[in-house]
Amino acid sequence: NYAFTAADSGVVSDRVFVFRTAGSKTVTVTQVSGASPSNPTSAITVTGSPTLAWNIMTTTDFGSVVVGSDSYTQDFYFVNTGIATATGCSAPVLAGSNPGDFSIVSDACGSSDLLPDGNCKVRVKASPTAGGSRTATLRRVCSVGGTVNTGLKVTGMTTWVTALSTGSTETM
């Protein structure tokens, strides 16, 4: 029988460790004889990144907007659902096919790290420059934590239809 221990980890089972921070870690393997452990028999050093997960919508449709006009604003929350801090993060950016048709109105994320269960908000609006479907991507990259993208879509309308009432009624 063997006992496994490691600092800075939550033991999931006898042989699986989930580390809360990145970098080099040492796992000590101790031989157990009956109920009392003996001296450590070996130490294993592992290096890696903590598990991170992002939670954000896949695509947001801003609907139909007249070309040259602004849509309503939409809030996007970058949420770290992992067990470790996302570090080395870039500020959120717009990319993809038509990034100029969208703008970041406010950015509470910047290049800040994002703690486990933490979130930050980015507010975006659409302002189509041409008719038809216009798309872009809102993206944030962290060196520890990876990349998260969410799609943006707006339909540019080149004409606006108005209804005209003459005020007359017809009796039958």
Side-chain angles (χ1 to χ4, degrees), residues 49 52 54 85-90 113 140-147:
S49 297
L52 295 176
W54 294 99
T85 301
T87 60
C89 300
S90 69
D113 295 346
R140 189 167 196 232
V141 178
C142 297
S143 58
V144 174
T147 301

Side-chain angles (χ1 to χ4, degrees), residues 62 70-74 94 101-105 123-127:
F62 285 81
D70 293 340
S71 72
Y72 59 90
T73 59
Q74 176 70 37
L94 296 166
D101 288 55
F102 301 86
S103 58
I104 296 174
V105 176
R123 183 169 283 167
V124 176
K125 72 176 177 181
S127 305

Side-chain angles (χ1 to χ4, degrees), residues 38-143:
S38 62
N39 293 328
T41 56
S42 63
I44 304 166
T45 301
V46 294
T47 303
S49 297
T51 302
L52 295 176
W54 294 99
N55 183 13
I56 194 164
M57 295 176 64
T58 306
T59 300
T60 297
D61 191 341
F62 285 81
S64 296
V65 177
V66 175
V67 171
S69 298
D70 293 340
S71 72
Y72 59 90
T73 59
Q74 176 70 37
D75 293 340
F76 295 88
Y77 292 88
F78 291 90
V79 181
N80 180 354
T81 59
I83 60 166
T85 301
T87 60
C89 300
S90 69
V93 295
L94 296 166
S97 301
N98 311 110
D101 288 55
F102 301 86
S103 58
I104 296 174
V105 176
S106 65
D107 174 10
C109 298
S111 58
S112 297
D113 295 346
L114 195 55
L115 297 172
D117 296 322
N119 69 75
C120 61
K121 179 174 81 172
V122 176
R123 183 169 283 167
V124 176
K125 72 176 177 181
S127 305
T129 59
S133 180
R134 313 294 289 169
T135 60
T137 302
L138 176 63
R139 174 180 297 151
R140 189 167 196 232
V141 178
C142 297
S143 58

